[in-house]
Amino acid sequence: MNQTLTVKDPFGTATTGKLAMWLFLAMDAITFAAILMGGIYLRLRTDMWGDAGQVLNIPLTSFNTFLLIMSSFTMVMALDAIKKNDIKGLKLFLSLTILGGVSFLGIQIYEYAHFIIGNAELGQALQATGLKGDSFLWTSGTYGATFYATTSFHGLHVLTGVIYLSVIFYQSNKGMYSSANYDRIEIAGLFWHFVDLVWILVFTIIYLI
Amino acid sequence: MSGHQKSFWTKYIFSTDHKMIAKQFLWLGMFFLFFGGALAMLIRWQLGYPEQPVPLIGNWMWPGDGGIINPDIYNQMFTMHGTIMIFWAITPLLIGAFGNFIIPLQIGAGDMAFPKLNLFSFWTMFLASLILLSSYLLPTGTAAGGWTSYPPLSSPAGGIPGLGQTIWTVALIFMGVSSMMGAINYITTVVRMRAPGMDYFKMPLSVWGLFLTSILNAVFVPVIAAGLVMLLLDQTIGTEFFLAGRLASGDPGDPLLFQHVFWIFGHPEVYILILPVWGIISDLLSVFSRKPAFGYRVTAIAMCTVTALSTLVWGHHMYTTGMSPLLGKSFMFLTLLISIPSAMFFLNWLGTMWKGSIHFTSPMLFSIGVIWVFGLGGLTGLYNATITADIYLHDTMFVVGHFHYTLAASVMFGSFAAIYFWFPRMFGRKLDSRLGKIHFWGTFISINFVFFNMMVLGYAGHHRRIYNPSEYSFLEPLTGLNEWISIFSFLLGVFQVVFLINMVWSMFKKERSPQNPWKATTLEWTMDYPIPHGNFEETPLVHNGPHEYSRPDIKDRDWLGQNERITV
Ligand SMILES: [Cu+2]
């Protein structure tokens, strides 16, 4: 009886921080799932659901989707840079990622403003689905409520990600990271990719189908 | 493990030590247990002695009504009783206090994986408590839509007037955030912080129970959080997710959507609360029978099975909402299926005690109490799970009696067992065993009288939320029974005061408990009191399972610690 005692570890060498982030993302994914499924449930019960092609601006949002996917790509590049101990590259790609997030938010705010101010054309599109008024608001039936709840919840995630990555940027500026120490950047990356991935689902469900 | 010099603030208030946070949760839970208990007795006063002035405090509390509980106040009472007992008493006691206290100690870890997150989790809960209590200050009073807060009752349009319901929603969202932080912490701790040799199948069943609870919390609290946020939007900015019919301004939302969201979370919540109890008493029965837990692996796997099944049965709360018969039958089938794994560990408990040398200590009495009340609660659950019976029993006192057997009685007995058992580790002293016996028998007799007869009331057709039963002629024959239930519920309250006295008195008494008073095998008993910050001087090595009692190859004593090694 002289075996060495170990803990069998089903999670490989993941740090506790990374494991915690995975758990958080799982919970976050469930929250999104609840909101999206709630929206689908409401949609199936009503015939007053907006025609996305007429109410929403699909080309603009497609461009926004492209921006977010690109920012995920630059995030990968940022991680790649620090693995090679390239601090300059890390800072460059981090700022590009942050820029992508900020632009996404800007376009989303523009989109909201457009809906809230409203115009006759939008009013017609809404009328076709049985909704009243010239502006498209969260009180515009369950369609409006679902649209705003889903997209703004995602927008909050992008905002959180931008702040999160700005903190990481500030820390890289102070020289906290190196090729031997980049776990936190990897964890932040997980969050950012998740936000991107969820957007593709939101985009598909709210804008495309 | 910062230096030894610690200010009062970092030691007692903003501590990151899991043992101190456990105590904070313990006192928070105890406060709300008595708060919710007081509400229960007031509800019982109204049902036993309808519209008579409440003795002693009535004229002081409600002078405008001549000391009578009016219907609005009554609605607020049962709403807050349910909310407080489930989310502010049981959750902090079992998951907050004992989850924090025993997980790191029993798996041989120095602390939780994220001590600061643990600190935030408690203070978020504290903030949630303040928010909840602040709703009592509103002129229209606190929430009154029932603990389930179904719309439209909980919507401003056509529901409970005033801000109380909104504040309730906010408080619950904060409470949920606290639970989610706890879940991340507990799961990470169990997965990554186990001492060398502590395989999953060497963990005490208490840790198993708390681990599964955390998983359920992680999966289902986000669901209710989403639902509550949608409800909050309905309450504040005028969305109409859950409004239908005349209440909706345009195309209708659906109140049933909220019921689905609520019960997708709400049914697993029952298991979130009971799983720690199953785990804890599986261990305690073994300690006090001086026998290994019968079918340890089967118990652990059965608990996992229940956890998995519990995610698929929420519809049994909604049989009367006009769901399709096929869906209803599926929910019924899946619900009844849960009785198989439940029966497995139930029989294992009896198997553990079978031919054991049973020590009737206070924690053991309460553990045996759990077997009885959980057995009754489980069996009466079969009636509610069966569509044909449930359509008759739905929303009657039968349901109230049933879920109080499983939730109130089982979970309270489990919490008491845990407090009696681990008190020497938390406060260095044993609770008085004579007062413990009085507490047990008083509680056991009165709690059974109260909840069993509630089921009798419900079977006779007594609706669960009526204000004044004397207004219905068909309930007249039940007047006497209602009164007796109330009397026994007051007795139940009195015996809890005995417990509180025991706790406070024992905390300060001179006589110290020995290091391992119950001769238990698990790691939390291996160090002196007070357990230092960081718990273990050196990381323990785990050689044995958690229930090594009465091994025939050891002569001088009947137990072998998990970290001990026998040299044969
Ligand atoms: Cu249920």
Side-chain angles (χ1 to χ4, degrees):
Chain A
M1 280 253 301
N2 207 0
Q3 87 273 34
T4 43
L5 291 166
T6 50
V7 181
K8 272 192 217 114
D9 204 331
F11 288 88
T13 52
T15 56
T16 49
K18 208 175 284 169
L19 183 58
M21 179 51 92
W22 276 114
L23 283 168
F24 170 77
L25 293 181
M27 289 157 73
D28 214 13
I30 293 166
T31 317
F32 268 109
I35 293 178
L36 287 170
M37 307 251 291
I40 292 170
Y41 177 99
L42 290 169
R43 180 177 188 166
L44 294 174
R45 290 188 75 261
T46 181
D47 39 58
M48 290 154 87
W49 201 262
D51 179 352
Q54 283 177 337
V55 179
L56 309 174
N57 189 342
I58 294 179
L60 182 68
T61 313
S62 304
F63 173 68
N64 227 4
T65 309
F66 171 73
L67 269 181
L68 212 55
I69 292 173
M70 285 317 289
S71 77
S72 237
F73 176 70
T74 52
M75 189 68 222
V76 174
M77 298 297 287
L79 186 63
D80 200 47
I82 191 63
K83 278 183 183 164
K84 292 178 191 144
N85 216 4
D86 173 10
I87 307 283
K88 238 184 202 165
L90 169 71
K91 287 199 289 195
L92 171 72
F93 285 115
L94 265 183
S95 36
L96 282 176
T97 311
I98 294 168
L99 188 71
V102 172
S103 324
F104 179 91
L105 284 173
I107 291 176
Q108 199 175 32
I109 290 167
Y110 167 80
E111 188 192 21
Y112 278 13
H114 174 78
F115 288 150
I116 291 167
I117 295 162
N119 57 48
E121 202 187 332
L122 183 62
Q124 266 177 353
L126 289 170
Q127 210 132 51
T129 48
L131 296 166
K132 292 181 210 84
D134 275 353
S135 39
F136 178 49
L137 298 171
W138 45 93
T139 48
S140 306
T142 44
Y143 180 52
T146 305
F147 172 81
Y148 280 101
T150 318
T151 53
S152 68
F153 189 56
H154 180 266
L156 277 178
H157 277 76
V158 179
L159 182 65
T160 312
V162 166
I163 296 169
Y164 189 179
L165 290 176
S166 304
V167 173
I168 298 281
F169 182 84
Y170 172 78
Q171 288 173 337
S172 4
N173 220 7
K174 289 187 105 184
M176 266 183 66
Y177 301 111
S178 67
S179 57
N181 171 24
Y182 56 85
D183 195 45
R184 284 188 186 193
I185 301 178
E186 220 174 333
I187 294 172
L190 286 178
F191 180 78
W192 192 254
H193 297 316
F194 171 81
V195 172
D196 185 20
L197 195 75
V198 166
W199 175 252
I200 292 170
L201 271 177
V202 172
F203 181 63
T204 313
I205 291 172
I206 300 282
Y207 288 82
L208 297 185
I209 53 174
Chain B
M1 270 155 273
S2 48
H4 293 281
Q5 295 297 320
K6 282 198 166 164
S7 74
F8 170 81
W9 288 93
T10 50
K11 183 158 182 219
Y12 293 104
I13 310 296
F14 297 111
S15 171
T16 53
D17 183 353
H18 73 102
K19 300 182 290 296
M20 185 52 73
I21 296 173
K23 286 182 195 175
Q24 292 172 327
F25 270 116
L26 179 72
W27 294 118
L28 183 98
M30 289 297 285
F31 169 78
F32 279 106
L33 186 68
F34 278 83
F35 193 110
L39 290 175
M41 285 190 263
L42 287 167
I43 295 167
R44 279 318 311 177
W45 175 264
Q46 168 61 23
L47 290 172
Y49 306 91
E51 297 190 65
Q52 293 175 34
V54 179
L56 305 174
I57 56 164
N59 278 314
W60 172 66
M61 295 280 288
W62 307 285
D65 295 314
I68 296 170
I69 299 168
N70 74 34
D72 285 340
I73 301 282
Y74 178 77
N75 287 346
Q76 293 175 14
M77 276 175 181
F78 68 67
T79 301
M80 290 306 262
H81 166 71
T83 305
I84 283 177
M85 284 306 208
I86 291 173
F87 298 109
W88 268 269
I90 298 169
T91 307
L93 273 178
L94 273 177
I95 307 170
F98 287 103
N100 254 313
F101 193 77
I102 63 183
I103 289 178
L105 286 171
Q106 288 200 329
I107 63 171
D111 205 317
M112 282 287 174
F114 305 103
K116 268 197 198 125
L117 188 67
N118 210 2
L119 168 92
F120 288 134
S121 170
F122 175 75
W123 286 103
T124 310
M125 183 67 193
F126 192 80
L127 182 67
S129 316
L130 293 183
I131 296 171
L132 186 78
L133 290 177
S134 74
S135 64
Y136 273 106
L137 303 174
L138 297 167
T140 42
T142 181
W147 84 278
T148 50
S149 72
Y150 285 168
L153 274 178
S154 56
S155 315
I160 308 295
L163 263 180
Q165 203 68 43
T166 311
I167 304 255
W168 180 95
T169 314
V170 175
L172 246 87
I173 291 172
F174 275 94
M175 191 274 163
V177 171
S178 161
S179 287
M180 290 192 265
M181 291 188 209
I184 290 186
N185 217 346
Y186 292 8
I187 295 174
T188 314
T189 306
V190 172
V191 171
R192 296 310 304 273
M193 310 274 287
R194 280 171 291 126
M198 182 63 82
D199 301 331
Y200 282 108
F201 282 108
K202 277 198 182 135
M203 295 196 307
L205 287 162
S206 310
V207 178
W208 265 105
L210 287 159
F211 183 49
L212 293 170
T213 281
S214 308
I215 292 173
L216 280 180
N217 254 333
V219 176
F220 290 105
V221 175
V223 178
I224 192 68
L228 287 171
V229 168
M230 283 154 95
L231 185 65
L232 188 65
L233 295 177
D234 275 11
Q235 287 165 341
T236 50
I237 64 165
T239 57
E240 292 180 352
F241 286 111
F242 305 130
L243 286 184
R246 276 189 302 121
L247 294 170
S249 63
D251 73 324
D254 190 358
L256 277 186
L257 175 60
F258 184 82
Q259 293 196 20
H260 279 295
V261 172
F262 185 87
W263 287 116
I264 286 175
F265 154 80
H267 183 84
E269 171 69 11
V270 175
Y271 292 93
I272 288 171
L273 300 174
I274 196 91
L275 271 161
V277 172
W278 291 345
I280 287 169
I281 75 148
S282 301
D283 282 341
L284 297 199
L285 288 170
S286 163
V287 174
F288 295 110
S289 304
R290 312 308 293 167
K291 269 183 64 193
F294 187 85
Y296 164 85
R297 261 168 199 267
V298 175
T299 303
I301 292 167
M303 278 174 20
C304 297
T305 315
V306 175
T307 304
L309 280 175
S310 77
T311 62
L312 301 168
V313 298
W314 78 89
H316 63 220
H317 297 270
M318 299 172 64
Y319 287 149
T320 56
T321 58
M323 64 169 58
S324 88
L326 178 66
L327 200 57
K329 287 243 172 68
S330 319
F331 278 126
M332 171 170 131
F333 174 73
L334 287 164
T335 306
L336 293 174
L337 217 55
I338 291 186
S339 51
I340 296 172
S342 313
M344 281 180 179
F345 56 73
F346 193 88
L347 290 174
N348 283 349
W349 294 341
L350 303 180
T352 305
M353 286 166 68
W354 184 256
K355 290 188 172 171
S357 74
I358 296 175
H359 295 42
F360 287 102
T361 58
S362 314
M364 183 60 168
L365 285 173
F366 277 101
S367 303
I368 298 172
V370 172
I371 299 185
W372 172 259
V373 291
F374 178 72
L376 267 177
L379 287 175
T380 53
L382 299 175
Y383 295 80
N384 293 316
T386 310
I387 300 175
T388 39
D390 181 71
I391 286 175
Y392 173 70
L393 295 170
H394 188 83
D395 258 355
T396 64
M397 291 297 269
F398 186 89
V399 178
V400 177
H402 156 73
F403 72 66
H404 275 85
Y405 257 115
T406 52
L407 276 187
S410 306
V411 171
M412 264 169 63
F413 277 26
S415 309
F416 290 143
I419 294 175
Y420 279 102
F421 187 72
W422 279 295
F423 200 82
R425 284 282 83 179
M426 293 179 119
F427 300 102
R429 292 135 176 102
K430 265 169 103 167
L431 284 163
D432 186 77
S433 66
R434 196 175 306 162
L435 285 177
K437 286 206 171 77
I438 295 172
H439 176 217
F440 171 74
W441 285 108
T443 309
F444 186 78
I445 290 166
S446 35
I447 216 167
N448 274 293
F449 188 94
V450 170
F451 296 139
F452 193 86
N453 285 308
M454 277 188 186
M455 294 195 286
V456 174
L457 285 183
Y459 196 70
H462 195 303
H463 185 269
R464 73 189 275 194
R465 278 173 181 164
I466 48 176
Y467 167 64
N468 183 345
S470 70
E471 280 172 5
Y472 307 84
S473 53
F474 77 100
L475 292 180
E476 233 155 68
L478 301 174
T479 313
L481 189 55
N482 245 327
E483 209 177 311
W484 274 107
I485 293 178
S486 296
I487 291 169
F488 272 88
S489 77
F490 304 147
L491 268 178
L492 182 58
V494 170
F495 283 108
Q496 304 325 303
V497 177
V498 174
F499 175 61
L500 191 66
I501 292 171
N502 194 355
M503 261 183 100
V504 176
W505 177 71
S506 300
M507 257 175 75
F508 295 108
K509 71 179 175 188
K510 276 226 179 73
E511 189 200 338
R512 293 294 188 109
S513 154
Q515 183 191 316
N516 187 356
W518 317 113
K519 305 214 178 336
T521 58
T522 38
L523 294 174
E524 78 270 29
W525 303 98
T526 55
M527 69 292 275
D528 283 334
Y529 178 85
I531 305 171
H533 200 163
N535 299 344
F536 298 92
E537 249 163 50
E538 51 192 290
T539 312
L541 301 177
V542 180
H543 299 280
N544 308 304
H547 306 116
E548 300 289 307
Y549 295 103
S550 308
R551 274 175 67 143
D553 53 342
I554 305 175
K555 296 284 177 278
D556 53 335
R557 56 177 184 168
D558 66 351
W559 60 282
L560 178 70
Q562 282 200 272
N563 60 336
E564 289 177 305
R565 221 164 149 184
I566 36 168
T567 38
V568 185

